[in-house]
Amino acid sequence: ETGVTQTPRHLVMGMTNKKSLKCEQHLGHNAMYWYKQSAKKPLELMFVYNFKEQTENNSVPSRFSPECPNSSHLFLHLHTLQPEDSALYLCASSHSWDSGVNTGELFFGEGSRLTVL
Amino acid sequence: QKEVEQNSGPLSVPEGAIASLNCTYSDRGSQSFFWYRQYSGKSPELIMSIYSNGDKEDGRFTAQLNKASQYVSLLIRDSQPSDSATYLCAASIWSARQLTFGSGTQLTVLP
């Protein structure tokens, strides 16, 4: 298994659909992240989980709902999205910031390309 | 507002030349600095990290950090067409417990 796996890789949905993005990491990390990447913009941090607890919600609209059932899995539930939400959604993991071994390095999955019609 | 600024490019260099990528950051509390490479349609991958002032070399890559000037750079020697990608600069602040990314510089190495 590769380090950080995201599914699906591509998703097309209508504005009234409900879908979910899934992320799984096999690196033994305890921190997981959702980032949004739009064209010509910096990576935008959306959510951070540390040991399954959400530690950051970067003013993300409620139509994005994260879930972290354990340190290895992270979901992003999508509901009533807008066309401007079309982007590449990247999951990442790292050692916990409290672990003493965190260097700040993030390990990214391949991303889920979302298109909202 | 914590920011990391990069020239968006595109930056074009001929094969075999030195490519120089620059980055500035606004928060003096930034402690660790990273360069990620992102090929089109792919996710970012870490290529260099630097934590203290000076130069750090790894193969054809050299990262340079000047905390007084709040400046980070990446030099790629003997550039190859396979180096063509977007290079993302990132800075981490332990107190904020997050990594802040620049918007990236698109590099094209011409054969």
Side-chain angles (χ1 to χ4, degrees), chain B:
Chain B
Q1 179 78 11
K2 303 178 180 67
E3 290 185 351
V4 175
E5 302 281 349
Q6 296 180 253
N7 290 328
S8 61
L11 173 65
S12 294
V13 299
E15 184 174 357
I18 296 175
S20 178
L21 305 167
N22 304 315
C23 171
T24 58
Y25 59 95
S26 61
D27 194 319
R28 287 194 173 273
S30 302
Q31 293 157 294
S32 305
F33 304 87
F34 304 89
W35 284 98
Y36 283 80
R37 177 176 62 200
Q38 186 173 23
Y39 291 115
S40 180
K42 299 292 188 180
S43 61
E45 59 174 328
L46 182 72
I47 55 171
M48 288 289 286
S49 57
I50 188 165
Y51 307 103
S52 55
N53 280 329
D55 295 359
K56 179 181 177 183
E57 187 174 319
D58 184 359
R60 296 185 296 112
F61 298 97
T62 299
Q64 299 173 317
L65 173 61
N66 184 326
K67 289 189 176 181
S69 300
Q70 296 178 244
Y71 177 88
V72 191
S73 66
L74 179 70
L75 300 178
I76 306 175
R77 289 182 301 281
D78 188 24
S79 296
Q80 302 297 308
S82 58
D83 295 325
S84 297
T86 297
Y87 289 79
L88 303 172
C89 175
S92 71
I93 304 168
W94 245 249
S95 60
R97 298 187 172 202
Q98 60 179 264
L99 207 55
T100 301
F101 285 86
S103 57
T105 298
Q106 185 180 344
L107 172 67
T108 301
V109 180
L110 304 170

Side-chain angles (χ1 to χ4, degrees), chain A:
Chain A
E1 290 285 357
T2 54
V4 182
T5 305
Q6 289 187 244
T7 56
R9 295 291 310 281
H10 299 273
L11 178 62
V12 179
M13 58 187 291
M15 290 192 285
T16 58
N17 291 158
K18 287 184 183 180
K19 297 286 185 182
S20 296
L21 306 181
K22 178 183 176 182
C23 177
E24 183 174 0
Q25 60 93 5
H26 304 275
L27 300 170
H29 291 156
N30 288 301
M32 296 188 76
Y33 310 76
W34 280 115
Y35 279 88
K36 176 183 177 182
Q37 189 174 39
S38 304
K40 305 298 184 185
K41 288 186 178 181
L43 280 167
E44 298 174 47
L45 179 64
M46 300 175 73
F47 301 105
V48 181
Y49 279 83
N50 193 42
F51 288 99
K52 303 187 298 178
E53 300 298 320
Q54 188 180 123
T55 58
E56 183 82 21
N57 177 336
N58 207 20
S59 302
V60 179
S62 59
R63 57 186 183 270
F64 295 92
S65 174
E67 178 189 0
C68 188
N70 55 60
S71 292
S72 297
H73 293 86
L74 185 63
F75 296 88
L76 188 61
H77 304 299
L78 314 170
H79 175 51
T80 322
L81 295 191
Q82 305 298 311
E84 59 265 30
D85 297 321
S86 298
L88 180 67
Y89 289 85
L90 290 162
C91 174
S93 71
S94 75
H95 290 294
S96 163
W97 291 87
D98 307 307
S99 65
V101 296
N102 187 309
T103 61
E105 179 181 357
L106 297 182
F107 295 80
F108 285 90
E110 289 294 322
S112 294
R113 173 72 62 185
L114 173 66
T115 302
V116 182
L117 301 176

